Amino acid sequence: MAASLKRLDLEYVDLVFAHRPDRQTPIEETVRAFNHLITTGQALYWGTSEWNADEIAQAWRYADKLGLIGPLMEQPAYNMLNREKVELEYAHLYRETGLGLTTFSPLNKGLLTGKYKNGIPDDSRFAQTDVPFIKDFLSKNPKEKWDPVIRQVNSLEPIAEKLGISQGTLALAWVLANPNVSSAIIGASRPEQVFQNVKALEAVEKLTPEILKEIDELLGNKPAEITQRF
């Protein structure tokens, strides 16, 4: 950590992530290690990335038992096509621990921009079939899996047009409209993409309960709500 701070030319970071769970190390040890970074002034808080709900809950049990700080932020993938973990699995953690989310892949590798509605453009990410990651993804998503997803994404185009925004902006705004999402990690290969991404901040207010319901009905993938009994 000290070497990282030196390279960043910082005395401390606000938040440090346990990037992916280390299931070969006891969670208590992980909790102690990240609290050491906090007590030595190298970080203010710590969070997790791609941990499951039980692992985060265990971390909080050890933190409470030891009088330490539990993970305050989780970094999961979250987008219109990938909802289960954020909306269902973590549901009790927002209430019980105040967990916040810094989500990644809000456009699901660009699929939610609508650019693939008529096939794979030559200048798009998935046209780079010599890249190992792309080659692997396409091999796991043949036509019979790809086409239904594209039809699902295409069904959102009329909503974006009605709101006067691009499909990419709609997808980003949808993520930010979730009250448990603190921020969304974005990427861009061209300046105009940055502009479209930033416009999502203004578009959030356009996502009324009626629009969100319409999106849910089109996608048909909203996780069932958990009923609590007290």
Side-chain angles (χ1 to χ4, degrees), residues 9 28 30 40 47 67 72 83 93 100 108 129 131 136 148 170-171 173 183 196:
D9 194 24
E28 178 182 351
T30 299
T40 55
L72 297 175
R83 305 175 60 171
L93 295 172
N108 200 331
T129 54
V131 176
D136 181 63
L170 173 64
S183 59
Q196 289 295 325

Side-chain angles (χ1 to χ4, degrees), residues 152-182:
Q152 202 175 21
V153 173
N154 290 347
S155 71
L156 298 169
E157 186 175 13
I159 295 181
E161 291 179 345
K162 178 168 60 177
L163 298 178
I165 57 179
S166 70
Q167 281 187 251
T169 299
L170 173 64
L172 285 171
W174 181 89
V175 169
L176 295 174
N178 185 322
N180 297 307
V181 173
S182 304

Side-chain angles (χ1 to χ4, degrees), residues 38-50:
I38 293 171
T39 57
T40 55
Q42 298 177 75
L44 298 181
Y45 305 101
W46 74 285
T48 56
S49 177
E50 290 284 84

Side-chain angles (χ1 to χ4, degrees), residues 68-98:
L68 300 175
I69 296 173
L72 297 175
M73 186 71 70
E74 160 61 21
Q75 187 183 107
Y78 180 52
N79 53 65
M80 288 175 161
L81 302 176
N82 185 355
R83 305 175 60 171
E84 288 283 331
K85 182 173 282 190
V86 164
E87 297 181 21
L88 186 62
E89 183 182 335
Y90 292 159
H92 67 100
L93 295 172
Y94 310 130
R95 180 182 64 255
E96 294 169 3
T97 71

Side-chain angles (χ1 to χ4, degrees), residues 204-222:
V204 173
E205 62 184 28
K206 296 184 178 184
L207 301 188
T208 63
E210 293 75 21
I211 292 293
L212 291 172
K213 182 179 179 182
E214 187 177 352
I215 290 172
D216 286 339
E217 290 173 349
L218 286 171
L219 294 176
N221 64 356
K222 183 178 180 179

Side-chain angles (χ1 to χ4, degrees), residues 45-64:
Y45 305 101
W46 74 285
T48 56
S49 177
E50 290 284 84
W51 286 31
N52 64 42
D54 184 57
E55 288 165 333
I56 295 171
Q58 283 188 57
W60 270 101
R61 285 195 289 273
Y62 281 117
D64 287 340

